Amino acid sequence: MSRRPVAVAASVLTLLALGATSACSGNSSASTGGSGSTPTVKLMAGGLDKQIYLPYQLAQQLGFYKKYGVNMQLSTEQDGGVGAEEAMASGQVDMAGAWYNHTIEFQAKGKAVEDVVQLSGAPGEREMCTAKSGVHSAADFKGKTLGVTDLGSGTDTLTQFLAAKKGIKTSQFHRIGVGAGSTAIAALQNGKVDCVMTTQPTVAAIQKKGVGTSAIDLATTSGATAAMGGAYPAASVLARTDWVNAHKDTVQKVVDALVATMHWINTHSAADIANKLPASFVSNQLVTKADYIAALNEDKGQFLPDGLMPAGGPKTSLATEKLVGNVKGSVDLSKTFTNDFAVQANKTEGFKTTTTPAGPNG
């Protein structure tokens, strides 16, 4: 089952046709490829064309992977296929562009996976609800049918967490998988669900069609903090700890490229960002380019400017996992993330950091 927060939007098939990604199959090539001494890295993301995951592709478009000495092969997970984090854990790819919380879940299952660079301090999600649903906060979830990407996904976890924070038990509402993009929109339009948790550009499409409005903001760091009690680290780069230890120089190159990308995002407008991304990402059957830019302006606050895991973030994520029952035993948070590579990347480039970094205990 896919564990990503939201499903890949329809335009991702166009992405593959553009050749911006390379499909992953079989075993990972690790860190050496056909480009001499330049390491090759395979990274699968939970939806390259989604705004919450835009840094991975943007780094490619800006030429930063090449600049920092790595041949990056990007791919995107497909509906019904293996999730990015599972592909990484099984060795199909070297790295996953996925949410930080998976490292906690992996540790609970006895697998060592770590977050090597943190790209966002919020899930980038919004609870989009129909007018007749009567849902204005998670306190109104009782008796409702709520759409998530799929059962067991990040959006499913967040939905249960928001309900639990308001004293609503999972038995008091119904959850169903509706994907994202056109399928999520159709679920709202057809009355299949009262609300759906999703991200941009699906959010913008729902608003444009007038079939739903944002009832809960998890799309910005401030919104996530208000709803969840603290910053919630979401989009990141995950890798098996044994792979990281065996390829530290390569990991540093990847983190260098992505930290540079996060500073670029922080110092450029939504229009600048949209202009650098593949055309199919920003203008498709869901949204126009103007819609995409407006949506990014609204939710750009989810991105961290320096790639550092924010203080309190791991603790918030662990609390979420425990509250919904995904993790029941003890977790050593110090083994789920590292700021070492991001600290070095910022130091090398002379970037000023503004994120207060998490300590070993999160």
Side-chain angles (χ1 to χ4, degrees):
M1 178 181 290
S2 174
R3 299 282 298 167
R4 61 182 158 169
V6 280
V8 179
S11 62
V12 79
L13 295 178
T14 305
L15 162 67
L16 297 179
L18 288 172
T21 67
S22 70
C24 291
S25 60
N27 295 326
S28 167
S29 64
S31 62
T32 57
S35 53
S37 62
T38 301
T40 294
V41 173
K42 292 182 178 180
L43 184 152
M44 181 186 286
L48 285 170
D49 61 344
K50 304 170 72 60
Q51 282 194 4
I52 60 170
Y53 290 140
L54 71 82
Y56 311 115
Q57 186 66 44
L58 182 60
Q60 192 83 285
Q61 303 298 116
L62 293 171
F64 285 171
Y65 295 124
K66 182 177 180 180
K67 174 182 177 181
Y68 290 98
V70 62
N71 174 32
M72 178 60 77
Q73 295 182 357
L74 296 173
S75 63
T76 208
E77 66 178 67
Q78 303 296 312
D79 287 336
V82 63
E85 68 283 347
E86 296 294 345
M88 171 274 301
S90 65
Q92 294 178 51
V93 294
D94 305 309
M95 293 178 154
W99 284 12
Y100 160 72
N101 69 300
H102 294 302
T103 66
I104 295 174
E105 295 173 354
F106 276 125
Q107 187 179 128
K109 297 174 182 177
K111 298 180 180 180
V113 171
E114 61 188 86
D115 178 339
V116 298
V117 60
Q118 189 61 43
L119 309 183
S120 68
E125 307 282 347
R126 289 182 182 273
E127 190 74 33
M128 303 299 292
C129 302
T130 63
K132 65 179 182 180
S133 70
V135 175
H136 303 288
S137 76
D140 302 316
F141 282 179
K142 189 175 181 179
K144 306 300 181 183
T145 298
L146 308 176
V148 297
T149 305
D150 53 47
L151 297 181
S153 67
T155 52
D156 189 20
T157 297
L158 286 177
T159 298
Q160 294 177 69
F161 177 75
L162 292 173
K165 289 274 284 185
K166 296 296 184 180
I168 307 297
K169 299 178 181 179
T170 54
S171 60
Q172 294 178 302
F173 60 97
H174 185 51
R175 307 175 341 267
I176 61 173
V178 297
S182 59
T183 55
I185 296 170
L188 284 173
Q189 286 178 314
N190 300 334
K192 187 176 181 180
V193 297
D194 296 292
C195 306
V196 62
M197 184 176 287
T198 191
T199 185
Q200 301 289 6
T202 307
V203 166
I206 290 171
Q207 292 173 324
K208 188 174 183 179
K209 290 177 178 291
V211 297
T213 57
S214 176
I216 303 173
D217 168 23
L218 299 179
T220 61
T221 302
S222 59
T225 299
M228 306 181 71
Y232 185 88
S236 62
V237 173
L238 311 182
R240 298 185 315 279
T241 297
D242 62 345
W243 191 90
V244 172
N245 290 338
H247 302 89
K248 288 188 176 181
D249 288 345
T250 298
V251 174
Q252 187 65 62
K253 293 175 189 294
V254 173
V255 175
D256 287 348
L258 285 167
V259 165
T261 301
M262 302 318 293
H263 280 276
W264 195 94
I265 290 172
N266 190 50
T267 55
H268 288 74
S269 69
D272 290 335
I273 296 168
N275 287 337
K276 288 293 184 179
L277 292 170
S280 63
F281 282 28
V282 302
S283 180
N284 50 58
Q285 63 194 54
L286 290 180
V287 292
T288 65
K289 189 172 183 179
D291 293 332
Y292 186 95
I293 292 171
L296 185 54
N297 267 323
E298 185 177 8
D299 293 350
K300 191 165 174 272
Q302 69 190 275
F303 295 114
L304 299 170
D306 40 35
L308 295 170
M309 172 64 76
K315 289 183 178 179
T316 301
S317 189
L318 177 58
T320 303
E321 296 294 321
K322 286 189 172 183
L323 191 59
V324 302
N326 287 345
V327 174
K328 296 180 180 179
S330 61
V331 171
D332 184 350
L333 289 176
S334 70
K335 294 182 179 179
T336 63
F337 73 96
T338 177
N339 274 325
D340 291 349
F341 296 106
V343 167
Q344 183 59 49
N346 282 286
K347 181 179 179 181
T348 298
E349 292 300 321
F351 292 138
K352 180 181 180 181
T353 59
T354 55
T355 300
T356 300
N361 296 323

